[in-house]
Amino acid sequence: MGADDYLYGNVYQEEFSARIEAVLRRSGNDKQIVELNQLVWDKRLLELKYQQKVIPLAPKEFNIIGVLLQKPEKVFTNEELVLAVWGNKDKVDSKTLHSYIRNIRGKMRDAAYPVDLHLITVWGVGYRWHSLQDTTN
């Protein structure tokens, strides 16, 4: 469960991120490509595509979507998302996260993606990706 390593003393951001990535690789939860709801999230190319068109996202926006797409239907608390993307909950407040989510929604709407059906706000808790069945039927 990731308890095979421990941290002591001062830990630097780069070291902490590397350790988290190593644990995710070993657990098999760090997917390189996710295809869901007509989206293709490709970590190798740092691209999110809808209908073969790239949706331009900032790196943090790309990482937020990646966290949500890798575990659809899971409700992520604001704190969990901040830890997963920034690595330190003290560096970022929930207003910053909400701003990123708003930007993601806007960019996906611009690409004609039905983001409001999928990127769900769980009020007072956080966010989840709702993986509906095919919405084109």
Side-chain angles (χ1 to χ4, degrees), residues 65-122:
I65 285 291
V67 169
L68 295 168
L69 289 176
Q70 288 185 46
K71 293 193 177 181
E73 305 304 340
K74 179 189 183 320
V75 176
F76 287 90
T77 66
N78 292 336
E79 184 176 282
E80 287 174 320
L81 279 172
V82 167
L83 282 172
V85 174
W86 282 271
N88 184 344
K89 67 179 181 173
D90 298 328
K91 290 176 78 173
V92 178
D93 64 9
S94 61
K95 288 181 183 179
T96 301
L97 176 62
H98 298 314
S99 177
Y100 275 94
I101 295 288
R102 184 179 61 246
N103 292 342
I104 290 167
R105 284 184 171 134
K107 290 175 180 182
M108 293 180 87
R109 284 183 192 120
D110 290 346
Y113 186 78
V115 67
D116 297 318
L117 297 174
H118 300 287
L119 182 50
I120 307 298
T121 300
V122 180

Side-chain angles (χ1 to χ4, degrees), residues 32 41-48 54-59 62-63:
Q32 296 296 309
W41 180 86
D42 191 334
K43 186 175 183 178
R44 297 169 302 145
L45 299 175
L46 298 175
E47 287 183 343
L48 180 68
V54 174
I55 300 173
L57 296 175
F62 179 81
N63 291 336

